[in-house]
Amino acid sequence: MNGFSLRRTAAIARKEFRHLRRDRLTAGMIAGIPIVLTVLFGFAINTDVRGLKAAVVDQANTSASRALVSDARASQVIGSLVSANSPWEIERLIRRGEVSLGIYIPADFDARVAQNRRPFAQLLIDDSDPQILRTARGLENLPLQPFDQMRDGGTFAIRALFNPERRSAVFIVPGLTGVILSLTMVLFTATAIVRERERGNLELLITTPVSPLELMVGKIVPYVLIGYVQISLILLLGAWLFDLPVRGSLVDFYIASGFYIVSVLTMGLWISTAATNQFQAMQMTFVFFLPQLLLSGFMFPFDGMPRAAQWLAEVFPLTHFLRIVRGIVLKQAELTMLMADIWPLALFFAVMMTLATRRFRKSLD
Amino acid sequence: MDKDTASDPAIQTQALTRRFGTLTAVDGLTLQVPAGSIYGFLGPNGSGKSTTIRMLCGLLTPSGGDATVLGIDVRRDPEAVKRNIGYMTQKFSLYTDLTVLENLKFMAEIYGMEKSAAQERIAVLLQRFALESMTAQLAGTLSGGQRQRLALASATLHKPALLFLDEPTSAVDPESRREFWEFLFEMVDDGTTMLVSTHFMDEAERCHALAILDEGRLVADGTPEQLMSELPAAVVEIQSAAAGTRAVREALLAAADIFDVAQLGSRLHALVDPARSQPIAYVESLLQPTGIEAELSVVAPNLEDVFVMATLHKKTEQAA
Ligand SMILES: Nc1ncnc2c1ncn2[C@@H]1O[C@H](COP(=O)(O)OP(=O)(O)O)[C@@H](O)[C@H]1O
Ligand SMILES: [Mg+2]
């Protein structure tokens, strides 16, 4: 055979750039998807639960019980209070959705505290919303700890290490780089070869001396650059709109991102060799995208998932990239500390590239 | 032009067959294409012209039989075939969103041409195919004739010894067709072999030799002159105002010794079994019952007659 020719590969890459430059829709998607998703996720998806409405039944009505209510209020979780007459009324209010929380302080509250007979009081929670449940759980122990223990740190106190203000944008935006790329990158390359087939260009292309590997590499080169453009755009938007810090090294981040970009691009290439038309390629892209979105740790905490789901998720590039991006951007981790998540990306790339190249036949059979 | 019998044929096939599921698109094709000539594939749509060309280009694997292209076995080394041929696909297959020049440069790079050699070659081709004034125009905005000249320029960039042209003129006006054939004759003078598929009789007649395909089978081959002079039928030309009417056709087709009837504008050619010694009298007797006034004469067969005769089964289908 005639080996691997850089000239031919460059010719393919240049041609792809030209297609991109003249394809307004795709060019628009390059900037449009990151901007829209970053703004949407950053602003609209708010997992900070604050200012909940609560109902209070204070049957003790002592100075201690009133102090407890005002402590709960000071946590900012509770925004406004209404008073109710009985626990049953609280339940009714929660059921009707008028309040999310209820505090019930029994008449013997002072005696319970004095004898350290727990629980001192009752917290009623609208746990039809898991976010409220999680937040309210935080209230459970807070004002009810004996004060001396709080001070010497004997009982554990929660201290946020990386996102002390608990702003969700700071969690979401770095991960969003991975999510957006796993959608756009795959979509761009998944249609790349199918489109040539649909438009009839492929019959000519496979009659030339170009080799499958040259074609595959040439096809992804322009999109590697576009991947970097998208990542940079999301980080800039994050910094500008949400004060997202980048605590680790940007160079490390860009190096690690390169592994992720090529792994999702080759995933798209593989789809492109398997699909028979552009619509099918898009369907396959979403079939690949949705489980990643759900299982990678972007939507739900990775540690909370069942074992089988975790194993499956380890196959996905996004799972590894989320650890990398959160590690570097939020936790100031260094590249060498993230090797455990970099080599799976490299492996994924190598396997997908091999599969795509071998699957692609220079024939119409 | 005299055929150079000393040199090896450019293409040689032996019982070449291609099936798609239960359909046999090309059925036991055996033929030889002499080097340095224009060879025609004449056949209706679906007769297997494109499928044969694709097998010869190394794009489709034959289901049976063998083919040698420029001395290379297409089964064994399709990539070597691809490096040595040029292929102009039936459907325009260059990039419509690239300019004329970008398309040509891309193809030159893909064929591994040196930059300066490519520039020179492109300049020559742009001039030869009158594309100089539209180098910056997107290929998608070219007219049919311009596109076809661009496709031909692209297929000949790397100076292949053998060129496959699949219905190159089906989307262009008659003026461009004539011009296009002039390009082909120039190239054959430079020693290029060409295989051209077509469904135009006048184009087939310009070929040095041709094969008539029908339903995947080779039904006739030879030089146009051979095919016409050796036609196993007498041709009676019927000139009449009513020649095109159904009644006339039916009267003739129903007769046992009429192979088929070919329509040529206001004339009709009846292909009469050569066993009839008096073909004119025979046709006259057939037309008598219809009461039609017609002028009859025996004429030399043309390629249309050859084609109709070769694809004869049509008559039995119509009659059934
Ligand atoms: N890829 C394919 N799959 C199935 N059938 C095909 C394919 N390509 C061609 N055919 C069939 O083979 C026959 C010959 O087609 P083709 O070679 O394109 O004819 P032509 O070029 O003479 O019009 C047709 O009946 C066509 O439908
Ligand atoms: Mg065809």
Side-chain angles (χ1 to χ4, degrees):
Chain A
M1 283 301 292
N2 41 358
F4 182 84
S5 155
L6 274 179
R7 246 176 86 74
R8 273 201 290 270
T9 310
I12 299 275
R14 221 179 349 258
K15 170 182 89 69
E16 292 301 315
F17 261 124
R18 295 205 163 111
H19 290 320
L20 268 174
R21 225 181 40 213
R22 293 185 182 134
D23 179 0
R24 291 232 181 110
L25 187 67
T26 304
M29 269 166 58
I30 291 169
I33 291 182
I35 290 173
V36 170
L37 288 186
T38 307
V39 170
L40 272 184
F41 273 74
F43 279 123
I45 298 192
N46 195 347
T47 55
D48 313 348
V49 180
R50 280 160 193 235
L52 297 180
K53 250 182 131 179
V56 179
V57 176
D58 187 354
Q59 290 179 339
N61 201 14
T62 61
S63 61
S65 75
R66 283 190 296 272
L68 172 65
V69 171
S70 72
D71 277 356
R73 192 163 182 180
S75 73
Q76 293 194 2
V77 172
I78 292 170
S80 62
L81 286 172
V82 294
S83 53
N85 294 320
S86 68
W88 299 279
E89 196 187 341
I90 294 178
E91 245 188 86
R92 211 165 41 243
L93 289 170
I94 289 178
R95 206 159 277 152
R96 279 200 246 131
E98 285 175 26
V99 302
S100 309
L101 281 178
I103 299 171
Y104 169 59
I105 302 173
D108 61 348
F109 176 73
D110 281 15
R112 281 170 181 249
V113 173
Q115 292 158 25
N116 200 13
R117 204 154 32 88
R118 289 162 196 270
F120 307 134
Q122 201 180 13
L123 204 58
L124 292 92
I125 299 163
D126 175 8
D127 56 355
S128 64
D129 183 336
Q131 298 287 5
I132 294 177
L133 176 64
R134 205 177 324 138
T135 314
R137 276 262 165 85
L139 275 180
E140 196 174 10
N141 295 316
L142 185 75
L144 306 174
Q145 298 282 354
F147 293 126
D148 52 349
Q149 277 190 28
M150 282 281 279
R151 251 178 236 119
D152 64 19
T155 331
F156 74 99
I158 300 165
R159 185 166 69 92
L161 276 174
F162 310 116
N163 187 10
E165 306 101 292
R166 300 194 190 192
R167 287 181 297 123
S168 44
V170 170
F171 281 128
I172 286 175
V173 173
L176 207 54
T177 55
V179 172
I180 290 172
L181 260 58
S182 82
L183 185 63
T184 56
M185 295 284 99
V186 179
L187 207 52
F188 288 150
T189 45
T191 51
I193 290 167
V194 189
R195 193 174 47 223
E196 298 227 12
R197 195 192 307 278
E198 276 186 356
R199 294 189 184 167
N201 307 123
L202 201 63
E203 183 167 357
L204 181 62
L205 201 54
I206 60 176
T207 316
T208 69
V210 75
S211 78
L213 187 62
E214 290 158 0
L215 186 61
M216 297 294 155
V217 175
K219 286 250 170 204
I220 65 171
V221 165
Y223 296 105
V224 172
L225 293 181
I226 285 164
Y228 276 122
V229 167
Q230 292 194 317
I231 283 196
S232 310
L233 187 61
I234 299 164
L235 286 187
L236 280 174
L237 274 176
W240 179 45
L241 295 176
F242 309 113
D243 294 321
L244 174 75
V246 178
R247 301 204 172 100
S249 143
L250 261 183
V251 175
D252 282 2
F253 176 70
Y254 276 83
I255 291 173
S257 300
F259 285 93
Y260 178 64
I261 290 172
V262 294
S263 67
V264 280
L265 283 174
T266 46
M267 177 74 219
L269 276 185
W270 180 82
I271 290 177
S272 205
T273 59
T276 49
N277 55 52
Q278 291 195 63
F279 181 67
Q280 213 179 62
M282 264 178 242
Q283 285 179 314
M284 289 170 75
T285 302
F286 280 98
V287 166
F288 172 71
F289 175 69
L290 288 177
Q292 288 209 86
L293 186 67
L294 296 176
L295 300 181
S296 60
F298 178 73
M299 300 277 276
F300 311 112
F302 191 81
D303 293 332
M305 296 192 307
R307 259 293 137 75
Q310 290 188 358
W311 284 334
L312 180 61
E314 292 290 349
V315 177
F316 300 144
L318 184 56
T319 308
H320 299 285
F321 184 65
L322 283 184
R323 293 185 197 136
I324 292 172
V325 70
R326 285 178 178 157
I328 295 178
V329 173
L330 298 179
K331 299 187 240 178
Q332 211 173 340
E334 281 163 28
L335 209 52
T336 47
M337 299 158 70
L338 298 167
M339 276 328 214
D341 285 303
I342 288 180
W343 73 257
L345 291 180
L347 181 67
F348 187 93
F349 164 68
V351 169
M352 277 299 157
M353 195 60 161
T354 310
L355 288 181
T357 307
R358 302 196 70 186
R359 208 189 154 84
F360 181 77
R361 294 253 159 271
K362 283 185 69 187
S363 139
L364 297 171
D365 284 335
Chain B
M1 185 197 268
D2 264 328
K3 259 182 257 130
D4 187 2
T5 43
S7 70
D8 289 332
I11 301 171
Q12 206 159 11
T13 74
Q14 183 63 47
L16 191 64
T17 300
R18 173 71 203 204
R19 282 181 285 271
F20 295 108
T22 55
L23 175 93
T24 305
V26 177
D27 194 355
L29 201 65
T30 300
L31 52 83
Q32 281 203 1
V33 175
S37 67
I38 302 180
Y39 194 88
F41 269 7
L42 181 64
N45 280 338
S47 56
K49 303 184 295 292
S50 297
T51 305
T52 307
I53 289 176
R54 284 171 177 153
M55 283 193 280
L56 297 175
C57 289
L59 291 175
L60 276 175
T61 314
S63 314
D66 289 299
T68 310
V69 172
L70 299 172
I72 308 161
D73 185 335
V74 292
R75 282 174 184 281
R76 202 167 307 147
D77 199 353
E79 290 305 307
V81 172
K82 289 174 188 174
R83 281 196 293 278
N84 289 288
I85 58 153
Y87 175 31
M88 188 171 153
T89 52
Q90 184 170 351
K91 182 175 175 285
F92 184 70
S93 56
L94 286 164
Y95 297 94
T96 50
D97 57 344
L98 297 192
T99 67
V100 168
L101 191 59
E102 285 166 352
N103 267 304
L104 290 174
K105 276 187 171 168
F106 171 68
M107 291 303 279
E109 285 165 1
I110 287 292
Y111 276 99
M113 294 173 73
E114 285 298 321
K115 198 171 175 155
S116 58
Q119 261 170 359
E120 244 171 73
R121 179 80 181 140
I122 288 172
V124 169
L125 291 174
L126 285 174
Q127 202 213 351
R128 179 190 291 183
F129 295 115
L131 292 165
E132 281 165 310
S133 61
M134 44 201 92
T135 52
Q137 201 174 326
L138 294 184
T141 65
L142 298 176
S143 73
Q146 293 164 341
R147 272 189 199 205
Q148 168 222 43
R149 296 201 310 266
L150 174 60
L152 185 60
S154 158
T156 53
L157 256 180
H158 55 298
K159 301 187 179 169
L162 174 60
L163 203 53
F164 291 94
L165 306 156
D166 195 357
E167 296 197 21
T169 56
S170 52
V172 302
D173 56 275
E175 172 67 21
S176 302
R177 273 173 56 198
R178 202 151 36 85
E179 191 183 73
F180 189 79
W181 275 84
E182 272 157 29
F183 292 134
L184 298 195
F185 282 116
E186 272 172 37
M187 280 188 283
V188 86
D189 285 344
D190 295 342
T192 311
T193 309
M194 272 162 279
L195 194 157
V196 187
S197 78
T198 180
H199 53 242
F200 293 115
M201 297 300 153
D202 62 323
E203 288 191 352
E205 215 164 329
R206 291 163 173 250
C207 297
H208 297 118
L210 64 113
I212 300 180
L213 302 185
D214 188 38
E215 298 193 335
R217 275 184 294 272
L218 180 73
V219 287
D221 69 333
T223 66
E225 299 73 29
Q226 256 175 352
L227 288 169
M228 289 186 282
S229 65
E230 291 169 12
L231 182 75
V235 181
V236 176
E237 187 167 275
I238 303 160
Q239 250 177 326
S240 157
T245 61
R246 215 181 142 79
V248 175
R249 284 182 67 90
E250 274 171 7
L252 292 172
L253 282 171
D257 288 337
I258 301 284
F259 292 131
D260 214 330
V261 177
Q263 177 95 45
L264 300 119
S266 65
R267 291 160 300 148
L268 217 54
H269 277 190
L271 306 181
V272 184
D273 190 328
R276 291 267 168 191
S277 52
Q278 306 266 298
I280 291 188
Y282 177 60
V283 172
E284 226 161 24
S285 72
L286 293 173
L287 290 180
Q288 204 102 65
T290 64
I292 281 162
E293 288 279 318
E295 219 173 281
L296 302 182
S297 57
V298 172
V299 297
N302 61 26
L303 210 51
E304 176 86 34
D305 301 324
V306 172
F307 181 75
V308 167
M309 188 68 193
T311 57
L312 196 57
H313 63 97
K314 289 285 151 65
K315 178 185 168 181
T316 36
E317 272 172 22
Q318 276 173 358

